[in-house]
Amino acid sequence: MCPPTITLAMSCHLFNVPTIHSCAKVLIGVQKGMDNERQTKIAQQFIQALPHSKALGMALLEIGDGCATITMPYDTRFVGDPETGVIHGGAVSALLDTCAGAAVMSHNSEPTGTATLDFRIDYMRPAKPGDNIVAKAECYHVTRSIAFVRATAMDADTDRPVASATAAFTVQNAKKVQS
């Protein structure tokens, strides 16, 4: 289970930095000597820098130690079925993928970059119209080049998940970037 600590080590796409080398320089500067409050503020700014995250209204709730929690508010613009008011699965997918990538970047192996390799989602039920959706992800194993993540999306009924996902992400480390 993920502890509620908050640290920062975000991917290049979260930093919206054009090259992995530039991203590594930013990450190395950000990771050194920063308190949790400042790390949280910077992490929230970078989540908001992603065009799809910003468009979907995602907000970072917690990040650190290989875990992330991100929320997405209910918005009628993202309804997939106007008759029921249920949010489209694509919005849930984007939330889970973003949360999983953030979990990878906060893993204690301190990767400097990542990208989604494989992503599998099981949709278990529609989210209740009007409810915010919260995704929680845990990066449970990292090899030299691959990170493995589990994620769950929930609405207000936290006993019954909306969707669950498993994913594999590439892992870039500082040694490879600096070469």
Side-chain angles (χ1 to χ4, degrees):
M1 195 70 185
C2 295
T5 59
I6 300 172
T7 62
L8 178 66
M10 302 301 287
S11 71
C12 297
H13 91 198
L14 290 179
F15 277 97
N16 202 20
V17 176
T19 67
I20 291 173
H21 183 69
S22 299
C23 182
K25 287 181 178 180
V26 171
L27 285 168
I28 290 165
V30 168
Q31 291 175 9
K32 292 182 179 176
M34 195 174 293
D35 63 36
N36 283 349
E37 184 178 329
R38 178 129 170 85
Q39 289 173 337
T40 302
K41 185 176 181 180
I42 288 173
Q44 289 168 336
Q45 289 171 349
F46 290 123
I47 290 289
Q48 289 301 309
L50 286 169
H52 70 273
S53 297
K54 187 176 182 179
L56 292 170
M58 292 182 199
L60 181 69
L61 299 178
E62 292 182 329
I63 191 164
D65 294 330
C67 297
T69 304
I70 298 176
T71 187
M72 180 178 69
Y74 181 83
D75 190 320
T76 56
R77 295 177 298 157
F78 311 122
V79 168
D81 182 353
E83 290 183 23
T84 63
V86 172
I87 294 294
H88 190 279
V92 176
S93 175
L95 173 64
L96 285 166
D97 187 35
T98 301
C99 191
V104 169
M105 294 310 301
S106 73
H107 190 269
N108 61 14
S109 65
E110 298 179 358
T112 57
T114 192
T116 308
L117 283 174
D118 182 55
F119 197 73
R120 181 188 191 301
I121 299 177
D122 292 315
Y123 292 98
M124 298 174 186
R125 66 177 180 87
K128 182 180 173 194
D131 280 3
N132 293 343
I133 301 173
V134 175
K136 294 185 178 200
E138 176 186 14
C139 179
Y140 63 91
H141 183 71
V142 177
T143 69
R144 255 184 330 132
S145 58
I146 310 248
F148 299 90
V149 183
R150 292 183 200 103
T152 305
M154 297 161 283
D155 58 13
D157 183 357
T158 58
D159 292 332
R160 296 181 28 213
V162 169
S164 68
T166 56
F169 287 79
T170 61
V171 175
Q172 181 72 44
N173 64 45
K175 290 176 186 172
K176 288 182 183 177
V177 172
Q178 293 171 352
S179 301

